């Protein structure tokens, strides 16, 4: 089911998988609870809810989500992160992911600091 959803989403040209999905696709043993994507616009996506946020994970403050069999978190940014293509799926590079986590780490609360530090350990 996850694989099918990923390939359906990948039909959108300006979409990059980030977070746990990107880690999993590049060989890290994680089980994604949702699908995190970065897009530059919402064209081609269906049944989404768009909203504004002050989340430190979003540089533009623009987000959206899709509730499906597996929920999809959408980060609407001005630029896509650096990516590699694996089996036709654009995945954020580990280098870019580490850089992103290190930029937001000092800005987040203690809960997210723990989560980010766990992810950074997996990326070593």
């Amino acid at each position: 089911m996850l694989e099918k959803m990923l390939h359906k989403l990948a039909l959108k040209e300006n979409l990059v998988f980030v977070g746990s999905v990107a880690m999993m696709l590049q060989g890290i043993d994680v089980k994604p609870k949702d699908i995190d994507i970065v897009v530059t616009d919402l064209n081609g996506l269906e049944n989404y809810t768009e909203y504004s946020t002050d989340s430190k994970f979003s540089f533009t403050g623009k987000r959206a989500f899709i509730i499906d069999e597996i929920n999809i978190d959408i980060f609407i940014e001005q630029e896509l992160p650096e990516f590699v293509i694996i089996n036709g799926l654009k995945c954020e590079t580990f280098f870019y992911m580490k850089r992103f986590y290190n930029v937001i780490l000092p800005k987040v609360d203690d809960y997210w600091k723990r989560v980010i530090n766990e992810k950074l350990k997996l990326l070593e």
Side-chain angles (χ1 to χ4, degrees), residues 77-95:
E77 299 295 337
Q78 292 179 346
E79 295 180 355
L80 295 175
E82 177 181 281
F83 62 87
V84 294
I85 300 174
I86 298 173
N87 297 326
L89 304 172
K90 295 176 187 168
C91 305
E92 181 180 26
T93 64
F94 289 161
F95 174 81

Side-chain angles (χ1 to χ4, degrees), residues 3-70:
E3 192 75 20
K4 184 178 175 184
M5 287 182 71
L6 296 179
H7 282 284
K8 182 180 176 190
L9 286 166
L11 296 174
K12 179 169 173 48
E13 182 65 29
N14 61 335
L15 179 149
V16 173
F17 295 100
V18 298
S20 296
V21 168
M23 295 170 85
M24 175 195 74
L25 291 169
Q26 293 178 77
I28 294 180
D29 186 22
V30 292
K31 303 255 185 280
K33 297 176 188 145
D34 61 7
I35 298 171
D36 295 320
I37 60 174
V38 173
V39 299
T40 55
D41 62 57
L42 296 169
N43 297 337
L45 297 175
E46 300 174 346
N47 303 318
Y48 60 81
T49 301
E50 189 175 1
Y51 65 99
S52 295
T53 181
D54 61 356
S55 168
K56 305 308 179 213
F57 286 82
S58 172
F59 295 130
T60 63
K62 298 178 184 176
R63 298 271 310 266
F65 64 88
I66 299 171
I67 296 175
D68 205 326
E69 297 171 46
I70 298 173

